[in-house]
Amino acid sequence: MAQSLTPSNIFKDQDRGRSVGKAGEDWKYKFFSYLLLTVIAFTMIVPFMWMLSTSIKPETEILRRNIFPVEPTLDNYHEVINRTDLPLWYKNSFIVAVISTVSVAFFDALAGFVFAKYEFPGKRPIFIIFLTSLMVPTEMLLIPWFIMSSNPPIGGTWVDTYWGIAFPGVITAAGIFLMRQFMQGVPDELLDAGRIDGVSEFGLFWRVAVPLSLPAIGALCIFNFLGNWNAFIWPLIATTRSEMFTLPVGIQQFSSEADTPWNLIMTGASLSVVPLLLVVMIFQRYIIEGIALTGLKG
Amino acid sequence: MRRLLAVLAVLVILFALGAVAGAQDDMVEIEYWQYNFGARVDAMNMLIEQFEAENPGIKVVHNSDIPYANFRDELAASAPAGVGPDVVTLFYGWIPAFVDAGYLVPLPDDPFSEEFILETFSPMVANSKFEGSYWAIPTAVRSLALFWNKDIFADAGLDPESPPANLDDFVAAAVATTVYDGDMKDILSITRQGHAPALASQDHHWFREVLIRQYGGAPYSDDGRTVTYNSEEGCAAFSWLAAFETELMTGSNDILDGSTNAFVNGETALHVDGSFRVGTIARNNPDLNYGVAELPVGPNGERHTFGSYWTHGITRRANDDPARLDAAVKFLQFITTPEAGTLWVNNVGELPAQATAAADEGLQADPILGAFSAGLAYSHATFFVDESAQRQVLIDAFDNIRLGGMDPCEALDEAAAAEQELIDAFWADRE
Amino acid sequence: MGRKANAAGSPRFRWTLARKKIVWAYIFLAIPIVFFAYIRIYPTFFAFQMSLHDYNPLAVEQPYVGLENYEKVVEELSKKKSVTKSAFRNTISYVVFGVPIQLCLALAIAMMLNEIRFMSTLYRILFFLPFVTSTIAIAWVFRMLYQPRFGLFNVILQFLSLPQQPFLTRPQQALPSILALVIWQGMGFAVIIFLAGLKQIPRTYYEAAEVDGASRWHTFRFITMPLLNPSIVYLLVLQTISFLRMFAPVVAMTEQGRGGPLDSTTTVVLRVYREAFQSFNMGYASSLTVVLFAMILGVTIIQLSVTSRRIN
């Protein structure tokens, strides 16, 4: 069963599940499908077009009713890059996303491996406790986390540190669950053969289980990276200084009490979104199939 | 990960030890926080530089990164950890809440004795005694005045050099200067506004402390503990203000990117705001051809304005260490002198809090700042227990009228009840 | 299973191996256990505890007040009008309108996508793009699209000679406007899940239905729907929870992030944020999060039992 759900063949089996109708009707159905899908696809990209178009408008054109700039300019980009902390926010978002993604990939896979392949006293209760933490909305933990990071056991304060932004997400229950489902597909024979060859338990994980689960780990990494890159409420609470803001927090702060610099906001939004769109287009198959997997296995 | 953390922890400890060792040569470091507002940050940097030159043993760390909207929660983030500012700049209306939480300590009698404050500072500062003590002292104060766009006046055939002197003239000028797109006279077809009431910015102050009084009413009882604006006079004043959006259709905060931006961008004829907006205009639209006049007189012929200020207090944290407390007091004293006030007015556009500097003749004759300076003589500062909540009450009342079609008197009754509840809750906790 | 493979080994080998495995399992789990205990479980109890105190982070003392905070929640909810009441009412509106609309649209799109082959990957990517973009960034883009006069939607309305709309500035339109963004942004995710579910339905079922002369609707009603049940339940639970937790779009799209106009868009989480971090009533805010927790738990349990029973 595990084999039939490896990412590569979820969408491959093109003949399955397609309803079949009479030939003439089928043609009409297809035509309208294409028509409607094109219209919907158009509404999906228009906001991005508007964002990019506004980001190259000079300030004087922002409040005018033209959709495309009359005199396109890169001034907004110069201003955002040179006169705001956006480059720092970029760096922070990246660092935080990398820290938590690396940690999640390692610890979630390791814990998933243990829950899938080991028998030990307390396994069920521990697993259930991990899973029930999924039921507790993070919003409930924000205030305790905030108090904890103001006055933590190690270090003076976690506020305004990368660790302070990243710590709530360095291990995730959902990821452990996903990895457990996957690691169950790792053949026991392989592990036992390794044991007989004197491979250490960690070696079994690192050199047998991980390579066999790379597609799932990859999907987990991508979601985690995206989730952290876009996270808002906790970074908003966990940072006080502009040089520690992440991108979403920074973009939100562009607008002040009396001023909404639309051109800068749209430029910041473009800079935050476009690289991600490129990444998604390159890795789209893994991402989309990874999501599908969570749906089929969750 | 764990090992990495352990290594990091060791490094942090080593750094901390190093820092302590390095700082032992009698250097006192204090932290000062204010919210991010370009001109204020620059002015404070100049003051800090002067202060450090005069006091070589003290170093002031200036944190001014936090945006207005987050300032309060970032202070809260720092408090439990015992980090954060030694000297902090707060809006005067927040002081009761911070005193209530035990966050601020009273200003020491030396040098901030009551006689000294009464003698040298503006009356609105002198009146800020709370629980028998002074808790904070400002560098500068502000008042409200009338901004008008001379070009729009000229376009509408009005004399660009004579701003409306009373409320009737104000209405007439607002109506005359509004331009609509097409024949429809409604809010969404306005292309140029006469006046756009915005309770969220300064108009709630204009209503509270100015319009009500000009209609013969009073916003609060003398002890500030009872809301009294839900009177016939209050309702008349509120109706007058709401009419700009509901009947006269001269503008709205919802269009043209908000009322303040609309004025700064040259799309509104009349706007009530504080002197701090002068700096915004200079930065964002230096070509704007505008003037500033005293607020129009009311039906009873009286002049009033609203005065407010950002004020500096000393925190519990500074109080924990005599050396830091001493440095904090010195710093506070330095940034509230008449000279500091003068530096402030030149860079920020807010008026010096010390009466001697505010009475400067050059200042009173200044075409822009003169109107604000004149207002100091008749300004009122509302005693807020929770400024943002009390502001929200009036924003909601105004929205109920313009969005919900509620009767102004009814909306004001509802607001008064809600605000009274806030005030009562505050005092109930204290007794 | 592992034990069976080792049965050939000496008893001693078996014993030590089983024991060794247990020890290693605990070693591997040590950091995750510490993490969950300290970062997830302890704060959960801490939140309950805070909700019983008048918790102000600026103050030195945090007095115990029993159930006073919960009484305040009840009191606010039973008032004719209060921000908390609006927050709960709006949150429920977001869920009740948002989840069905989003899932129906996504299912329709997934079924259309399932029919086509040419360019299907391109469509899939396009529908999916909004989901991976930062909510804050895209919410600001929509806020601009909704602006009176210069916003794209009103520019289009004017082009079509239709009346201008106030969108975010009127209480009647603000919540649907924000909801539209959230539906738009999250739809791609649901499309992918549905599509994967559809691909799992064996073609033979449809062929049998065709032989029986079943209409398209019958095929949908009696084959597609029941076999999609797992995907539907999964998405219902997931999306309901995510709509219950709505925060960022409201912060980005309303004046000063206040959830206006007239509290018409504010949510429970926004209320928690403002109470905790702007008014410093962390005790009261904690009691609101406990209520939110109860709601999420309740919804999950109800949906799991009801949905799976009905469709089976």
Side-chain angles (χ1 to χ4, degrees), chain A residues 46-47 50 67, chain C residues 144-147 150-157:
Chain A
V46 163
W50 174 268
I67 293 174
Chain C
M144 191 172 180
L145 295 176
Y146 282 130
Q147 287 299 306
F150 63 88
L152 178 66
F153 295 149
N154 271 318
V155 172
I156 293 173
L157 286 176

Side-chain angles (χ1 to χ4, degrees), chain A residues 59 62-63 65 85 99 103 107 146-147 149-152 154-157 159-160 163 170 235-243 245 249 253 255-262, chain B residues 1-2 5 9 12 31 33 35 61-63 65-70 73-83 181 200-202 256-257 260-261 265 267 277 280 284 391:
Chain A
E59 212 178 331
I62 297 296
L63 302 184
R65 303 189 119 179
D85 284 337
I99 291 179
S103 161
F107 286 111
F146 172 79
I147 300 291
S149 41
S150 306
N151 211 352
I154 319 163
T157 170
V159 175
D160 283 330
W163 169 249
V170 291
L236 173 73
I237 293 167
T239 56
T240 70
R241 292 176 188 235
S242 178
E243 64 255 32
F245 289 166
V249 179
Q253 314 295 3
S255 136
S256 69
E257 193 184 4
D259 191 23
T260 307
W262 291 108
Chain B
M1 198 65 203
R2 217 173 194 191
L5 268 184
V12 167
E31 210 163 313
W33 286 26
Y35 85 96
V61 178
H62 184 186
N63 177 8
D65 291 334
I66 307 164
Y68 173 78
N70 288 52
D73 50 296
E74 303 307 358
L75 284 175
S78 67
V83 298
D181 182 11
S201 32
Q202 301 299 317
L256 300 171
D257 219 11
T260 306
N261 275 338
N265 294 332
E267 289 158 331
R277 202 65 68 208
T280 317
N284 294 0
R391 174 208 304 233

Side-chain angles (χ1 to χ4, degrees), chain B residues 253-273:
Chain B
N253 191 37
D254 288 343
I255 58 168
L256 300 171
D257 219 11
S259 156
T260 306
N261 275 338
F263 183 81
V264 174
N265 294 332
E267 289 158 331
T268 302
L270 294 160
H271 182 66
V272 171
D273 218 325

